[in-house]
């Protein structure tokens, strides 16, 4: 698609960076302070997460994203575990 864009005379860079397009450096700096790893994939995922209308499924084997979400949104979170007896009731609330 980059070739088509250039053929039409639309200015475009050769490489795409989500951080440069919709990232906010001050927010990104705060995320790294809140324990988000300072790599491109983690920051791109955080940008997608913060610009989403719904919470996405997070697969986080190293628990880095989990720590970041807790540090960033801890007071707004409700943490549930499947082993809780009132799991379904709490999920509906």
């Amino acid at each position: 698609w980059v070739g088509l864009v250039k053929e039409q005379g639309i200015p475009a860079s050769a490489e795409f960076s989500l951080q440069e397009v919709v990232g906010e450096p001050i927010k990104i700096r705060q995320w790294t302070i809140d324990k988000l790893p300072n790599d491109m994939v983690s920051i791109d995922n955080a940008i997608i997460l913060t610009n989403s209308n719904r919470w996405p499924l997070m697969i986080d084997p190293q628990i880095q994203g989990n720590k970041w979400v807790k540090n960033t949104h801890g007071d707004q979170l409700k943490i549930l575990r499947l082993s809780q007896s009132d799991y379904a009731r709490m999920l509906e609330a």
Side-chain angles (χ1 to χ4, degrees), residues 66-82:
N66 190 5
K67 290 178 185 176
W68 170 70
V69 169
K70 285 182 180 179
N71 285 336
T72 305
H73 303 287
D75 56 336
Q76 302 166 358
L77 291 178
K78 187 181 289 187
I79 299 173
L80 301 175
R81 302 207 188 303
L82 285 171

Side-chain angles (χ1 to χ4, degrees), residues 19 22-32:
Q19 292 179 46
V22 294
E24 297 178 37
I26 294 171
K27 281 187 180 180
I28 293 170
R29 187 175 328 120
Q30 184 60 48
W31 295 340
T32 56

Side-chain angles (χ1 to χ4, degrees), residues 39-55:
D39 63 86
M40 189 174 74
V41 172
S42 296
I43 292 172
D44 285 355
N45 284 335
I47 290 170
I48 292 168
L49 185 132
T50 57
N51 287 297
S52 298
N53 291 331
R54 297 180 181 199
W55 287 95

